[in-house]
Amino acid sequence: MTKQGIRIRKALYIVLWLGTLFSLILCLGIAFGFFTKEKIVTKEVEKEVQVVPDNYLFLGDSLTDYFDLETYFPGQPVVNSGIAGNTTNQILTSMKTRVYDYNPSKIFLLIGTNDLRDGKSQEAVVQNIEEIIEEIQTNRKQTEIFVESLYPVNASVSSAVGVRSNATIQNINAQLEEYCKEKNLTYIDLYAKLQDEQGNLQIQYTADGLHLSDAGYQVVAEVLQEYLK
């Protein structure tokens, strides 16, 4: 046999030897669990769903601030993010601390009456409320938003009502309700639950014609409880 033939034969022996050794290592690895199969799950087979823990945020002005949530919703994960005197602009400039930091699963939004106190137009009030909602939807996509109607007032009780009028409030509410229908949001008509036959805030539901009495908050709590379930 020539020298070249000998070299070819040696090369074939080495290849066969290496192949046998690799096969042996692979078999031992599988037998002793060194190698495992990885299961690949596609989006069509399994879908991850982000769940936000229950955390019910009430966002607004004094009508929310004075709402004793723990009393009316005992044992429920309620958070009061209402500040007396607040306007829509003030909420828009403090969304992080008033909303996002709480990472709420549900938000009950009631705001706008103090904008009317300050002479802001109906259109501006509605636009700001819509902007608040859109900011929340952008930054907390999993949060469910409930939009409360502005409450009626009763100017015959005291001067606290100021320049607010029920005609203006009802116009704003109509626009908010239409917006909620378009955006598939839940609109809660509390105006209808609090008004008297003339469309004013019922006397027994208020202390000063603007803010609610305990009886008024009881009505509101009974309505909202259905949305906390």
Side-chain angles (χ1 to χ4, degrees):
M1 181 179 292
T2 64
K3 291 183 178 180
Q4 184 177 1
I6 294 172
R7 285 197 295 269
I8 293 174
R9 178 175 291 184
K10 286 182 179 180
L12 288 173
Y13 285 153
I14 292 172
V15 170
L16 289 173
W17 182 80
L18 289 174
T20 302
L21 179 62
F22 177 77
S23 298
L24 179 61
I25 293 172
L26 181 62
C27 291
L28 289 173
I30 293 173
F32 289 96
F34 296 140
F35 307 120
T36 59
K37 292 182 179 180
E38 182 179 355
K39 184 178 180 181
I40 303 300
V41 180
T42 65
K43 291 183 179 179
E44 289 74 22
V45 176
E46 183 175 304
K47 181 180 180 182
E48 289 187 5
V49 178
Q50 181 180 356
V51 178
V52 180
D54 286 340
N55 190 18
Y56 309 146
L57 183 76
F58 289 72
L59 178 63
D61 47 43
S62 59
L63 290 166
T64 298
D65 192 7
Y66 302 160
F67 195 178
D68 189 353
L69 300 177
E70 287 74 17
T71 296
Y72 291 100
F73 307 112
Q76 299 193 60
V78 291
V79 177
N80 195 318
S81 189
I83 296 180
N86 258 196
T87 63
T88 54
N89 285 105
Q90 287 171 310
I91 287 181
L92 280 169
T93 57
S94 57
M95 294 292 286
K96 181 181 184 300
T97 56
R98 299 288 295 283
V99 180
Y100 307 147
D101 285 352
Y102 294 105
N103 195 30
S105 57
K106 295 182 179 182
I107 291 178
F108 294 85
L109 176 63
L110 171 62
I111 193 67
T113 188
N114 292 324
D115 293 69
L116 299 179
R117 172 204 63 194
D118 296 343
K120 185 170 291 184
S121 69
Q122 299 174 34
E123 293 73 18
V125 175
V126 173
Q127 183 177 349
N128 276 4
I129 293 174
E130 292 176 1
E131 188 175 344
I132 291 170
I133 293 168
E134 289 159 12
E135 288 275 351
I136 294 170
Q137 290 177 321
T138 299
N139 291 278
R140 290 295 181 273
K141 299 182 187 301
Q142 305 300 321
T143 300
E144 191 174 4
I145 302 172
F146 300 85
V147 181
E148 295 183 43
S149 66
L150 273 64
Y151 298 170
V153 295
N154 194 325
S156 68
V157 177
S158 77
S159 60
V161 173
V163 297
R164 302 173 181 88
S165 75
N166 285 319
T168 299
I169 290 172
Q170 287 176 310
N171 285 335
I172 289 174
N173 286 342
Q175 294 178 64
L176 292 177
E177 184 174 14
E178 183 62 28
Y179 173 79
C180 289
K181 287 179 181 178
E182 293 175 0
K183 301 298 182 179
N184 197 29
L185 298 172
T186 301
Y187 172 80
I188 306 175
D189 185 7
L190 283 161
Y191 188 106
K193 299 293 184 179
L194 297 169
Q195 68 176 337
D196 61 18
E197 294 179 355
Q198 288 74 44
N200 297 311
L201 180 57
Q202 291 195 40
I203 296 294
Q204 66 267 34
Y205 294 158
T206 184
D208 58 6
L210 174 63
H211 300 96
L212 299 185
S213 62
D214 289 342
Y217 278 122
Q218 183 62 49
V219 171
V220 170
E222 289 174 359
V223 173
L224 297 184
Q225 180 60 64
E226 296 299 314
Y227 300 96
L228 266 66
K229 294 179 180 178

